[in-house]
Every structure is written in structure tokens, then in C-alpha cells.
Amino acid sequence: MRSTKIYILENSSDFKIKLLQWAQQFDEIVWLDSNTYSQQYSSYDAVLAVDAFTAIQTDHYTGFDKLKEYQEQTADWIFGYLSYDLKNDTEQLTSRNLDSLNFPDLYFFQPKKLFFLKDNRLEIQYLNMVDDEMEEDFLDIRRFPSTIKVPNDDTSCGKVKISLRISKDVYKQKIQQMLAHIARGDIYEANFCQEFFAENSCIAPLETYYHLNQISKPPFAAFFKRSHQYLLSASPERYLRKEGSKIISQPIKGTAKRSQKEEEDKRLIQDLKNDPKERSENVMIVDLVRNDLSRTAIKGAVQVEELCKVYTFPQVHQMISTVVSEIHSKTSPVDVIRTTFPMGSMTGAPKISAMEIIEKLETSKRGLYSGAVGYFTPEGDFDFNVVIRSILYNEDKRYISYTVGGAITAKSDPDKEYEECLIKAKAMREVLEGI
């Protein structure tokens, strides 16, 4: 059982900064921030969950069954992540590529302390065992500064030197191999990714996340900490949301750079809207998502609410579609995730063939990248992002990583695909290398 208190804040933006600093004392943190991005499907501006009372950690083997049991038995708020390699639990697949981060395949925890922000209203929910700490915690949070300094050369970590896991020439060769698979009819589309990394390096996780979030201001930002392992995510993409019997998926496919010149920026939006390659990428994934959602949906209840709409973010323009379905009241929320995971925007079509080819051509294990971070409510609703535009950090191993990729179709040009990867990597590179 939880105790609840409501506070009305004078300045919610300042309080968010204070709250995230206060949270750093805990070994388990999930912070989810919409950056006040206005959207139809949203419950909160920001959510913070800290301090595990119970937790589940597992590899992919029967991972979804274990999560389902944990979610049903806990019947409370649980927060955590699903790694891409849970694909090996849903299909006869493997993940044998290099893994230098060593995150568990699945991790969720039941937080002792929860904070929900909406406009200037703060709701705090504490498990009864710690509810006597509410007032003191609130006062402690307010004592923190309302600014976070961006890392600079004077820090003990200094600048990070990023290395490429594969060269541009090797990348282009692998795209040619992907195109050969498409020409043979093995696949129509696949998402091919490459890793950028730094060894024997360190970062200040909170300051790095704050800098990344300030640059990107995405609607699905996340800061995750589990002991020495961190995710700093500036994700623009929702994977899946459940509101009662309604399921919402919002895949992104189609990216264009921004321009500082207003007229040119408008032209870039129109070019993206009318680009046949980008639209075909998006439509293919919409078809895949419709098929995935139909596995748990009431017959005839899968609908496309929005197709190929272009949204603008500080770094890029993105083409986003919204696909919804209705499920029976007795359908397990975990089963809805199980039958749609991994998300189509990060795999390809047909999904299983695409994942098999991805595994052969990529050189790094994806792990948490192209997985999902989010939460389940006590009622069984959920909301998860797609882990892209993100920095992963293993503090003990002094290893930093970010991965970027793009959809490869028959019309893909290897040089343009590589350029798109660099556009997507820009914010992470700027934060880590100061470029």
C-alpha cells in the first residue's frame, strides 16, 4: 500500500532539476521526462521512481514469463527496461555479437518512492514503510540548486574520445550485403545499426544526461541508473502504451536534418513528407505494427490514426505514424508487449528474417539499445519508449557506447544512409566530445 501527498509548485521547471539531483543518492533510478511536449497520449510531464523494494533481473530465457509473474504478483508500480535481446525469448534467435556493456536482458523494480509531475502539480506516492520520510524528502529536494552544470575539460573525466566499431567503407559494404538480401526477396526492409564507443573513459552521468536532454528536448527522455550501469536517453519515439483496453504504437521511420534558416527548414519538412523512400519505409513498418497488434486485438480493432506525419524536434524532423488497437479485458499487458517486441521500427520486415540478417551483419550486441524503458501501473496499464538517441555507460568497466542506425530498403543509397547515421549521432557526439 502507498501513501499519497499533493503539492502545488511555484516553478515546476526548477523543481524538476532539483528532483533529479536529489535522486542521485539512490542505486535504482528511473526518470522519464516528456519535456512538456504536447501530445494526445500522455499522463505526466515527468515521473521519478527511486529506491527498489523488490526487483527482477534476468537474461532472455523465459524473460517474459518471469516479467508477467512479477508484474501480476507485485500489483504495484514497476519501472525498468526490456533489452533488444529478449527477441531470443520470443523467437528461435540468438545474440552472439560483442557485448562490452553487460547489462541484464531485463530489469524491473518496485520503487519505494514515486514522484509524478503534471503542470505545477506534484503527487508523491511512498510505500507505507517509508511514508514518514515524505515531508523531510520534499524539504531536502527544495534545497538543491535549480541548475546543473554542463561537463567541461576541468572535470576529472575530461573529453571523451569516441571510436567507430566499423569504418565507413565497411559500413557501406554491409549495406550492399543488406541490399543483396532485399534483391533476393529475403526481406523488404531492415534496420542496420553501428556502434560508437569509448574505452577506459568516464562521464558524469547526470550532467551528461542533462546536456543531452537540453540539446534534444525529446518527448520520451529517460535517465536510468542501476548501481554502476546508466542509460542517458533522448528518445523521440514511443514504443507502446496501454490505456485501459486501448493499445497505442507510434513508430518513427523517416529522418531529415534541421536548418537554421526558416525557409530552408520548411523546405526540408516538405521534402521529407514527399520523399517516396521515407514514406515507403514508414508504411512498411506501419503494416508490420498492424500485424503485431492484431495478435492480441479484438477482431477488426486495429486502426491507423495517423500516417506519415512529420514532427519537428530541435535536432531533426521525423516522420511518425500512430497505430492503435483494442484488447479484451483479460489479456495480459505483458503478452501485448511479448507479441510486439522488439518494435518494428528497429527490426524490419518480415520481422524474423530481418532480425536474423541484422545479427549476421552487425558487429555489436544491441543490448538495451533499441529496447524499451518505461513502467507498469498497478492497474496493468503501461508506457514504454524506444531506446534510441541514447548513451549507455558502464561505470565499473569505464565503457561508454552509443549506437545509431537506419532503415535499409531497395531504394537506399549507402552514402546517404551513412550521412543519416551521422545526423542521428550528432547530439551524442556533441555531448561527449564537445564537437
Side-chain angles (χ1 to χ4, degrees):
M1 294 291 290
R2 292 187 178 272
S3 299
T4 301
K5 277 195 175 184
I6 306 293
Y7 296 90
I8 303 302
L9 305 172
E10 291 180 7
N11 189 324
S12 58
S13 296
D14 282 356
F15 189 82
K16 279 168 60 175
I17 297 169
K18 295 168 182 278
L19 183 59
L20 192 50
Q21 291 177 93
W22 171 84
Q24 300 306 306
Q25 65 187 287
F26 299 102
D27 284 336
E28 304 89 14
I29 303 170
V30 170
W31 167 259
L32 306 172
D33 190 352
S34 73
N35 286 293
T36 62
Y37 194 84
S38 178
Q39 55 176 315
Q40 180 183 356
Y41 299 108
S42 180
S43 301
Y44 310 103
D45 294 335
V47 180
L48 174 69
V50 295
D51 199 10
F53 175 53
T54 65
I56 179 175
Q57 170 188 326
T58 182
D59 61 14
H60 70 267
Y61 183 70
T62 66
F64 282 108
D65 285 341
K66 292 168 186 171
L67 175 61
K68 184 176 180 178
E69 181 182 12
Y70 179 68
Q71 185 266 329
E72 290 174 351
Q73 288 183 353
T74 305
D76 190 13
W77 291 91
I78 59 171
F79 289 72
Y81 70 77
L82 309 156
S83 82
Y84 174 78
D85 298 294
L86 286 166
K87 66 183 174 61
N88 305 334
D89 184 36
T90 60
E91 305 293 347
Q92 293 296 311
L93 299 168
T94 58
S95 296
R96 295 197 178 96
N97 289 329
L98 176 69
D99 178 14
S100 299
L101 285 159
N102 302 126
F103 280 58
D105 288 340
L106 180 152
Y107 176 79
F108 279 83
F109 73 97
Q110 177 189 11
K112 293 179 185 174
K113 303 182 178 186
L114 272 170
F115 299 78
F116 303 95
L117 271 164
K118 183 69 176 176
D119 298 322
N120 65 339
R121 184 180 184 272
L122 172 69
E123 180 179 334
I124 302 178
Q125 291 189 23
Y126 278 24
L127 288 178
N128 288 348
M129 68 181 70
V130 292
D131 64 3
D132 60 335
E133 300 172 18
M134 273 187 181
E135 195 65 38
E136 185 179 345
D137 284 351
F138 181 70
L139 293 172
D140 279 349
I141 293 162
R142 293 177 66 184
R143 293 188 187 106
F144 276 82
S146 56
T147 57
I148 298 175
K149 291 182 179 178
V150 171
N152 56 46
D153 289 331
D154 297 332
T155 65
S156 58
C157 291
K159 286 284 191 295
V160 174
K161 181 61 179 172
I162 296 294
S163 301
L164 285 69
R165 185 62 66 189
I166 58 174
S167 67
K168 181 178 179 179
D169 286 345
V170 171
Y171 173 88
K172 289 167 65 176
Q173 289 169 14
K174 288 177 179 288
I175 298 301
Q176 292 293 355
Q177 290 176 268
M178 191 80 80
L179 290 169
H181 281 290
I182 293 169
R184 282 198 298 269
D186 301 332
I187 49 172
Y188 309 115
E189 174 181 348
N191 191 286
F192 178 70
C193 300
Q194 57 175 320
E195 183 193 16
F196 298 78
F197 68 99
E199 295 176 303
N200 298 314
S201 298
C202 69
I203 53 174
L206 174 61
E207 291 81 357
T208 303
Y209 163 77
Y210 184 71
H211 188 189
L212 180 64
N213 191 49
Q214 287 298 103
I215 289 172
S216 303
K217 288 186 165 47
F220 299 101
F223 178 97
F224 168 86
K225 174 189 176 186
R226 175 185 162 272
S227 183
H228 61 281
Q229 294 173 322
Y230 294 85
L231 165 72
L232 320 174
S233 179
S235 174
E237 183 172 0
R238 168 178 277 130
Y239 157 44
L240 209 60
R241 177 178 171 90
K242 179 178 178 289
E243 293 181 355
S245 62
K246 187 172 188 176
I247 307 298
I248 303 105
S249 177
Q250 294 180 298
I252 291 178
K253 268 289 160 272
T255 304
K257 64 183 179 181
R258 295 290 313 272
S259 172
Q260 293 180 344
K261 297 176 182 177
E262 186 177 349
E263 287 304 313
E264 186 179 354
D265 206 45
K266 288 179 180 177
R267 180 183 59 76
L268 289 167
I269 291 172
Q270 290 304 315
D271 288 350
L272 178 57
K273 279 182 181 177
N274 300 322
D275 188 316
K277 173 192 173 289
E278 302 286 14
R279 290 187 70 88
S280 67
E281 282 182 19
N282 198 295
V283 170
M284 279 186 213
I285 296 307
V286 165
D287 285 343
L288 189 155
V289 169
R290 289 171 62 201
N291 182 66
D292 282 353
L293 291 181
S294 70
R295 295 170 70 182
T296 54
I298 296 168
K299 189 174 181 180
V302 180
Q303 304 290 331
V304 179
E305 283 191 348
E306 202 169 62
L307 183 65
C308 296
K309 184 171 179 180
V310 175
Y311 288 81
T312 294
F313 301 94
Q315 293 283 311
V316 291
H317 303 294
Q318 301 274 199
M319 190 180 283
I320 304 175
S321 294
T322 299
V323 189
V324 301
S325 70
E326 293 284 332
I327 59 170
H328 290 287
S329 58
K330 292 185 179 179
T331 302
S332 162
V334 173
D335 285 340
V336 178
I337 294 172
R338 187 203 309 255
T339 53
T340 58
F341 194 86
M343 61 291 301
S345 61
M346 297 307 296
T347 55
K351 199 171 187 179
I352 297 172
S353 298
M355 288 190 288
E356 289 172 339
I357 292 165
I358 285 165
E359 180 67 24
K360 290 175 183 174
L361 292 179
E362 291 181 356
T363 53
S364 302
K365 185 177 174 180
R366 289 193 184 181
L368 183 45
Y369 172 77
S370 69
V373 170
Y375 62 83
F376 292 87
T377 72
E379 297 75 31
D381 286 346
F382 57 72
D383 205 0
F384 285 88
N385 76 356
V386 177
V387 179
I388 52 175
R389 321 289 161 81
S390 301
I391 297 167
L392 288 154
Y393 176 44
N394 187 318
E395 191 173 36
D396 282 358
K397 294 187 69 179
R398 293 173 57 82
Y399 188 85
I400 304 162
S401 169
Y402 64 87
T403 300
V404 292
I408 310 305
T409 67
K411 296 178 181 178
S412 290
D413 176 287
D415 285 304
K416 289 182 179 177
E417 294 295 338
Y418 193 80
E419 183 183 337
E420 183 177 313
C421 284
L422 297 183
I423 291 169
K424 291 174 178 175
K426 185 182 175 188
M428 284 89 75
R429 189 178 180 200
E430 181 180 331
V431 167
L432 294 171
E433 292 192 301
I435 293 173

